[in-house]
Amino acid sequence: MSAATVRTLTTLQARRIALAAQGFTRPRPGALGRPVTASHLNRTIKRLGFFQIDSVNVLVRAHYMPLYSRMGPYDPELLHRAAGRAPRRLFEYWAHVAALVDIDLWPAMQHRMRSAHGMWGGMRRIAEEQPDLVERVHRDVIEHGPLTARDLEADVERDRSNWGWNWSQAKVALEYLFYVGRITAARRNSQFERVYDIPERVVPAAVLGRPHLTDVEAHAVLVEHAARALGVGTAQCLRDYFRMAPEPTSAAIDRLVTDGVLEPVRIAGWKRPAYLHREAVLPRSVSARALLSPFDPLVFERTRTEQLFGFEYRIEIYVPEAKRQYGYYVLPFLLGDRLVARVDLKADRAGSRLLVHGAWSESHAPDHTAAELAAELRLMADWLGLDRVVVGDKGDLADALRRHCRE
């Protein structure tokens, strides 16, 4: 395709394509009082490819939120069953980061299991320096799994010389075996610890029996999935979705362009070229309403978020409190086809309150933003089993939001 024939999309068109690809043009059954079913979950799994896991539980753990944002209130047991019981629809692995991944991507993820890309040094060292320990831990999982790291630690001396995690040698060996795919996670327990087992007892036999993919084939699968999930994006967007290396990602993009899966396009105001998936749709309008996790795939690539939505967003969990601009756990608020506000939220489970420490509007936020956000916060509070929404004083939206939450 010559430079003269490359289509140019406006930012509005690109944004609406992205929202449609991410599932925000469909009605949310849970928000309409209808049950969210396994079929809804499966469609969202196929659309996104994974749910990012994060240990922060100040509101709700990150992997529960993407389905809620797209489907409304749902029974979390749907997700527990999909990830923890046969026939599994999800397995845990390093996708974007730690994530619950579509089981159909197991063959593609094996390219990462075969490589050291992304593996941290402690894992490499234990494999090189203590191979007997690694094999012993593997045998324990085979013979006694599913089990946690704590189930193994009585057999292996703990090294307390390093500040921080102080992972035992058994834990490091488990993480190495997990990374290379010799073991996997059967589930997370109530303490949010991985419970390890061998793939043959976790991954469906039909999936394990699929043909192996070469590294080239695996990258093509993952880049194509990223492009379909994003609708349109730059090479950086496509690479970041599954955190892939630049060179094989570029090669996969070239191959998918040649095959007609991706179309090179320009997005007005963007410096880098972009790629449109052939299944992408451009809706005439978008009437979404959703609170988004900081780890939602719509917003986790912050440069893309700023370019698509004009929304500068940083998570401030690791910023000292005195230096935070907005707050500890701030969620963007999607209304229509724009990110119009942000709220700093906490679930006070003991007091049965959804605490809104602060609420801020964007310059383009419509007049009804506070009313819509109040309705969304009440919906979330009900989903989390909390009785009240309590709005604090921070932010230009706080007063109006408080009034609407009292109505």
Side-chain angles (χ1 to χ4, degrees):
M1 182 180 291
S2 68
T5 61
V6 172
R7 278 201 288 167
T8 297
L9 302 173
T10 67
T11 301
L12 175 61
Q13 288 174 323
R15 185 165 65 242
R16 288 179 175 172
I17 288 168
L19 287 165
Q22 283 281 300
F24 287 104
T25 55
R26 293 173 173 266
R28 295 190 298 166
L32 299 174
R34 299 200 296 264
V36 176
T37 66
S39 294
H40 293 124
L41 171 64
N42 290 339
R43 282 198 295 269
T44 306
I45 292 171
K46 296 302 294 180
R47 182 184 297 277
L48 301 184
F50 61 84
F51 302 133
Q52 183 171 332
I53 295 171
D54 188 82
S55 60
V56 175
N57 197 25
V58 66
L59 178 69
V60 63
R61 293 199 193 278
H63 54 287
Y64 294 110
M65 275 295 296
L67 185 63
Y68 172 80
S69 299
R70 291 156 181 80
M71 297 288 109
Y74 71 99
D75 182 354
E77 274 302 308
L78 277 176
L79 199 56
H80 298 165
R81 287 196 295 270
R85 301 181 198 170
R88 284 172 173 80
R89 291 289 299 113
L90 295 159
F91 72 101
E92 187 174 339
Y93 194 61
W94 297 99
H96 180 73
V97 289
L100 294 174
V101 187
D102 183 351
I103 198 73
D104 288 327
L105 291 176
W106 175 271
M109 283 297 167
Q110 287 182 300
H111 90 278
R112 185 162 292 170
M113 298 173 188
R114 292 192 296 265
S115 79
H117 177 68
M119 186 185 293
W120 55 276
M123 287 192 253
R124 292 192 189 95
R125 284 194 299 274
I126 204 160
E128 294 168 359
E129 298 172 6
Q130 300 188 67
D132 291 344
L133 170 64
V134 171
E135 294 307 316
R136 172 178 152 198
V137 168
H138 189 225
R139 284 197 305 273
D140 279 349
V141 176
I142 293 172
E143 294 171 6
H144 306 295
L147 44 75
T148 68
R150 286 190 297 162
D151 295 328
L152 289 173
E153 284 180 349
D155 295 333
V156 182
E157 181 182 357
R158 176 184 288 272
D159 178 5
R160 299 183 183 275
S161 61
N162 294 319
W163 178 88
W165 292 100
N166 284 326
W167 275 2
S168 69
Q169 293 175 310
K171 174 65 174 176
V172 177
L174 284 168
E175 286 301 301
Y176 168 77
L177 291 164
F178 175 81
Y179 193 96
V180 300
R182 294 177 65 188
I183 63 174
T184 188
R187 61 184 179 276
R188 293 270 182 153
N189 65 16
S190 59
Q191 287 78 44
F192 205 60
E193 299 168 308
R194 281 195 188 115
V195 181
Y196 298 92
D197 208 342
I198 56 173
E200 290 79 5
R201 293 198 288 255
V202 175
V203 181
V207 174
L208 286 176
R210 290 177 187 172
H212 290 283
L213 301 179
T214 66
D215 287 3
V216 170
E217 291 169 334
H219 278 88
V221 168
L222 294 175
V223 171
E224 190 276 332
H225 194 294
R228 183 158 31 87
L230 295 173
V232 64
T234 65
Q236 170 61 24
C237 298
L238 302 182
R239 184 176 78 83
D240 180 74
Y241 202 79
F242 287 104
R243 294 283 170 91
M244 293 180 287
E247 293 80 7
T249 300
S250 296
I253 289 171
D254 291 343
R255 176 179 177 181
L256 292 166
V257 169
T258 299
D259 292 345
V261 177
L262 299 183
E263 175 191 348
V265 295
R266 294 191 185 95
I267 301 175
W270 292 31
K271 294 180 180 179
R272 296 178 179 179
Y275 301 90
L276 180 72
H277 194 277
R278 65 183 174 191
E279 295 177 8
V281 297
L282 172 56
R284 296 180 64 180
S285 63
V286 178
S287 57
R289 192 187 81 185
L291 286 162
L292 303 172
S293 161
F295 309 104
D296 192 288
L298 183 67
V299 297
F300 61 36
E301 214 290 311
R302 308 306 192 204
T303 299
R304 173 182 171 86
T305 302
E306 190 165 351
Q307 290 175 325
L308 277 178
F309 293 96
F311 189 85
E312 187 176 339
Y313 183 45
R314 301 291 183 271
I315 189 165
E316 298 182 277
I317 289 173
Y318 303 110
V319 175
E321 184 174 0
K323 295 183 178 181
R324 289 177 193 145
Q325 183 178 4
Y326 294 109
Y328 181 80
Y329 203 72
V330 176
L331 278 67
F333 180 49
L334 173 66
L335 187 63
D337 60 15
R338 301 297 300 271
L339 296 175
V340 300
R342 64 190 85 203
V343 283
D344 182 18
L345 298 182
K346 179 179 180 178
D348 173 17
R349 296 172 180 90
S352 196
R353 302 177 301 169
L354 178 58
L355 302 180
V356 185
H357 293 309
W360 296 263
S361 63
E362 297 295 293
S363 60
H364 53 262
D367 292 341
H368 60 287
T369 295
E372 294 287 352
L373 179 54
E376 190 62 29
L377 289 167
R378 286 193 292 266
L379 191 71
M380 173 174 274
D382 288 343
W383 177 55
L384 296 177
L386 305 173
D387 294 332
R388 292 183 295 149
V389 178
V390 179
V391 182
D393 297 325
K394 294 181 182 178
D396 64 288
L397 198 57
D399 289 345
L401 183 60
R402 191 182 306 109
R403 288 195 300 270
H404 284 288
C405 285
R406 288 171 179 167
E407 291 176 358

